Amino acid sequence: MWHDIFISQSVINKAMQLVARQRAKGEVRNCLRAFLNWEKNAPVDVGFMVSKLLLTIQLCPKTEFQSSEKFGEDLSDNTWEYIFAIDLLCCHQKWIWTHDNIISKELWPVMDKWIKYRKGHANIAYTPDIIIASILRLIGRLGQLGLKEGFPSAVKSISSVIGMFIQHAQDEDIPWGIQLAAVYALCDLSPSNPAEISRILEAWRRETSHSVPSAVLSCLEEVSCLCAEEVG
């Protein structure tokens, strides 16, 4: 199994190799260095690789939503692979680095440009909806890193922004695929503020005219249970 993992050229496996190169020690490192010819390749900076992966997601011209009966308008398998690779690298770099360098400097600016474009601001380039959905799903996953490392207040700030976004989704006529991505992200971040997030999501479910996918309903149930546990 490990042989297949390390010889693969997929983005996830490249991310695994980069993390292994930085973490491996002693005999394990010596074996990997010989097996993967590390001495012939200069090490890649983690931040550079994350930025490169994000840029690839944004520039991919053929990326589209994948229709799923269970998940609704979902991301493609290829996009998910990039998201998982970024998630792995950010886990290695820890939350503070991820928040300061990726969420704040890379992800929020893309969201901001998309919102400004929709509001008619001049000189703002169009960003495809699928890119915004990908950014939201990634923010949800990365926010879980902050929860695990004990930074609930920082994650709560992020969930508050996404919660406000969802509350205005109907009035602003936000595309359905983006609404779903925001809802999934907010579910990922729900431990930061269970009661408020549960309230927002239930209101969204009642107000939407779309058929809510079963996976989303399951996520909403989990948030409700989390809210009940907090009250109990």
Side-chain angles (χ1 to χ4, degrees):
M1 180 186 73
W2 287 108
H3 175 271
D4 294 336
I5 288 175
F6 282 117
I7 65 171
S8 170
Q9 293 301 305
S10 72
V11 292
I12 291 180
N13 291 317
K14 287 181 179 178
M16 289 182 66
Q17 285 193 38
L18 180 53
V19 172
R21 187 166 186 164
Q22 295 200 6
R23 288 195 173 186
K25 298 178 181 179
E27 284 301 312
V28 173
R29 181 176 180 82
N30 292 335
C31 290
L32 289 174
R33 182 190 292 116
F35 180 68
L36 298 171
N37 295 316
W38 282 348
E39 65 276 2
K40 295 182 180 179
N41 302 300
V44 178
D45 178 72
V46 173
F48 174 79
M49 185 171 184
V50 172
S51 295
K52 183 178 179 181
L53 293 174
L54 286 170
L55 186 62
T56 302
I57 291 176
Q58 294 178 59
L59 295 180
C60 185
K62 298 180 180 179
T63 304
E64 296 178 348
F65 285 106
Q66 303 295 308
S67 180
S68 163
E69 183 176 350
K70 180 178 180 181
F71 297 101
E73 293 187 18
D74 196 8
L75 309 181
S76 67
D77 291 343
N78 187 57
T79 300
W80 273 118
E81 188 171 341
Y82 279 87
I83 288 176
F84 292 147
I86 292 169
D87 190 25
L88 172 62
L89 293 169
C90 287
C91 284
H92 172 64
Q93 293 293 98
K94 305 297 183 184
W95 168 250
I96 293 178
W97 181 92
T98 298
H99 177 271
D100 293 350
N101 294 282
I102 304 304
I103 296 176
S104 297
K105 294 181 180 178
E106 300 269 10
L107 304 183
W108 281 140
V110 177
M111 292 290 301
D112 184 59
K113 288 179 182 178
W114 181 80
I115 292 171
K116 287 180 177 177
Y117 178 87
R118 283 177 57 86
K119 291 183 176 180
H121 285 233
N123 303 318
I124 300 293
Y126 169 71
T127 302
D129 293 346
I130 185 64
I131 302 304
I132 300 305
S134 302
I135 295 295
L136 284 165
R137 295 306 300 269
L138 180 56
I139 290 174
R141 290 194 64 86
L142 296 181
Q144 291 182 319
L145 177 61
L147 293 171
K148 292 173 184 176
E149 291 189 23
F151 294 90
S153 59
V155 178
K156 184 177 179 179
S157 297
I158 294 171
S159 68
S160 295
V161 174
I162 297 178
M164 188 69 69
F165 181 80
I166 292 173
Q167 287 177 295
H168 290 88
Q170 311 299 328
D171 295 338
E172 299 288 342
D173 195 27
I174 301 298
W176 182 237
I178 292 179
Q179 288 191 45
L180 289 180
V183 167
Y184 280 122
L186 200 56
C187 289
D188 287 340
L189 304 175
S190 59
S192 68
N193 194 7
E196 179 65 10
I197 289 175
S198 179
R199 183 190 67 78
I200 291 171
L201 293 176
E202 285 301 324
W204 169 83
R205 183 183 62 81
R206 290 193 303 269
E207 293 171 6
T208 185
S209 59
H210 293 270
S211 176
V212 179
S214 60
V216 173
L217 293 176
S218 295
C219 288
L220 266 59
E221 289 179 11
E222 291 178 7
V223 176
S224 295
C225 290
L226 188 63
C227 182
E229 291 174 6
E230 185 185 49
V231 173

